[in-house]
Amino acid sequence: MTAALEKLRKVALRLLQAVPTVFGILVVCFLLTRALPGDPAAYFAGDMADAESIEEVRRTMGLDQSLPMQFVSYLKDLAQGNLGMAISTGQPVTAELANRLPASLELTLGALVLSFLIAVPLGVLAATRPNTWIDHLCRFLVTAGVSLPTFFTGLALMYVFYYLLDWAPAPMGRLDLMFLPPEPITGFLTIDAIIAGDWEVLRAALAQLALPTITLALFTLAPIARMTRAAMLQAIASEFVRTARAAGLSGRRVLVTYAFRNALLPVVTTLGMVFSFVLGANVLVEKVFAWPGIGSFAVEALVVSDYAAVQGFVLSMALLFVALNLLIDVIYTLIDPRVGEEA
């Protein structure tokens, strides 16, 4: 079996392993929703509804059926993309998540790109220059990123750059009220502004995106830089790197081709884990900067006990995490030089 076929076999195995995980997520989301306190039918019927009206709502929602039949109906609705109606907004949960997910993705991806561009070179330099000022700087940033809460960092940046220096715009969402958003194509304001050729809106969108992106980047930078530094130190001390140096290869080639390529594997895994965590946990940053993402939507739904919206958020985030981790596993399999060596 060739190395390419071995990699394809492992990718197919990863895809098959994701099936029971997805089914387990569906079961857990269904059971957790049914285990919530209170009567959903009474809540949807309203405070002034009588017993007959509540029973009618219960039949309409299918809550008078057995749990297995409710689960089958739940799967049918999911197959049709129906996650119910959001009480807080009066819109379908699917539409709300579709409208708000690009805002969260734009913020999260921007923070990850910024932190990756800083953390990886910083971790490599810290590993190749131990106990120097750049190594101490890496350790300081890692400690600060882990220790400082994101809401504190966001408020501090807002106080300095908006209130004191007046360099940043008011934290009022994705775009200042003075600008009209471009026609939604991708849902990403920056990309849609580029497609429309509206450079004023692009500058305004980037200005609004700057502070929340930096806030999240300081948080996500810490694990990426720490893993890069540790993986590079381990790779540099390995036998294959010493062998490559003994063979007379240049230090740059040894560092890039041998050490960095092997150190990149755990860094990619860490990047996927950080993205999975930050996408659902950036709610504090979204609330501080009034960012209309899925995190703030979930908090608003919890406040008003909007069960359909909460269930849709939990389910979509769980499925997104599974898909992302599956993608990371596939990428890991494709870039791992050890896969297929035994073939």
Side-chain angles (χ1 to χ4, degrees):
M1 181 181 295
T2 63
L5 291 177
E6 178 65 16
K7 288 180 181 291
L8 290 177
R9 187 187 70 81
K10 289 183 178 294
V11 169
L13 183 60
R14 296 289 194 280
L15 293 174
L16 291 176
Q17 290 174 346
V19 174
T21 304
V22 171
F23 183 77
I25 289 173
L26 296 177
V27 173
V28 170
C29 287
F30 172 79
L31 293 178
L32 284 179
T33 305
R34 269 56 183 180
L36 290 174
D39 187 357
Y43 183 82
F44 278 95
D47 296 334
M48 304 300 295
D50 54 15
E52 183 178 351
S53 300
I54 295 176
E55 189 63 29
E56 179 65 26
V57 172
R58 183 176 287 107
R59 285 194 298 269
T60 303
M61 298 176 64
L63 298 178
D64 59 330
Q65 301 176 355
S66 62
L67 279 180
M69 293 302 300
Q70 291 184 39
F71 184 67
V72 172
S73 300
Y74 174 66
L75 293 180
K76 289 181 180 179
D77 290 339
L78 287 181
Q80 299 173 0
N82 181 17
L83 295 177
M85 298 292 293
I87 301 176
S88 54
T89 62
Q91 299 295 323
V93 174
T94 306
E96 286 290 343
L97 293 176
N99 292 333
R100 292 172 177 265
L101 183 59
S104 294
L105 285 176
E106 188 173 38
L107 175 59
T108 304
L109 289 175
L112 279 181
V113 170
L114 180 60
S115 61
F116 184 82
L117 293 177
I118 297 175
V120 172
L122 184 63
V124 172
L125 291 175
T128 55
R129 295 169 176 81
N131 297 321
T132 61
W133 67 269
I134 196 165
D135 188 21
H136 295 307
L137 175 63
C138 180
R139 296 179 183 180
F140 172 78
L141 290 178
V142 167
T143 304
V146 173
S147 304
L148 296 176
T150 53
F151 72 88
F152 173 81
T153 305
L155 290 174
L157 291 176
M158 189 189 307
Y159 177 75
V160 173
F161 292 100
Y162 169 64
Y163 182 76
L164 294 181
L165 301 177
D166 197 24
W167 289 357
M172 298 176 60
R174 304 178 70 186
L175 194 63
D176 194 278
L177 297 178
M178 297 178 59
F179 297 90
L180 292 177
E183 181 182 356
I185 299 176
T186 64
F188 291 71
L189 275 182
T190 51
I191 298 179
D192 290 342
I194 293 174
I195 295 175
D198 196 336
W199 309 116
E200 291 293 331
V201 171
L202 176 61
R203 283 192 289 269
L206 289 175
Q208 294 290 140
L209 190 62
L211 287 187
T213 298
I214 295 174
T215 301
L216 268 184
L218 290 175
F219 175 73
T220 58
L221 182 147
I224 300 174
R226 180 169 55 184
M227 179 56 68
T228 303
R229 179 181 179 274
M232 280 296 297
L233 286 174
Q234 183 178 4
I236 291 173
S238 60
E239 293 184 1
F240 62 87
V241 170
R242 289 198 296 267
T243 303
R245 287 174 174 171
L249 298 179
S250 63
R252 181 184 180 86
R253 183 177 180 184
V254 170
L255 182 65
V256 175
T257 305
Y258 293 91
F260 182 69
R261 184 183 177 187
N262 285 272
L264 191 61
L265 300 177
V267 174
V268 170
T269 303
T270 303
L271 189 65
M273 294 173 61
V274 169
F275 178 75
S276 301
F277 174 75
V278 172
L279 184 60
N282 61 3
V283 57
L284 294 178
V285 177
E286 291 184 1
K287 296 303 290 185
V288 168
F289 292 96
W291 199 261
I294 53 176
S296 57
F297 171 68
V299 171
E300 295 166 1
L302 279 173
V303 171
V304 298
S305 300
D306 193 344
Y307 297 149
V310 174
Q311 176 177 293
F313 169 77
V314 173
L315 179 62
S316 59
M317 287 298 97
L319 293 178
L320 187 60
F321 292 166
V322 171
L324 183 62
N325 288 327
L326 178 62
L327 178 62
I328 294 299
D329 286 342
V330 171
I331 294 175
Y332 194 99
T333 301
L334 295 177
I335 67 175
D336 192 345
R338 297 166 297 182
V339 176
E341 288 182 353
E342 69 278 3

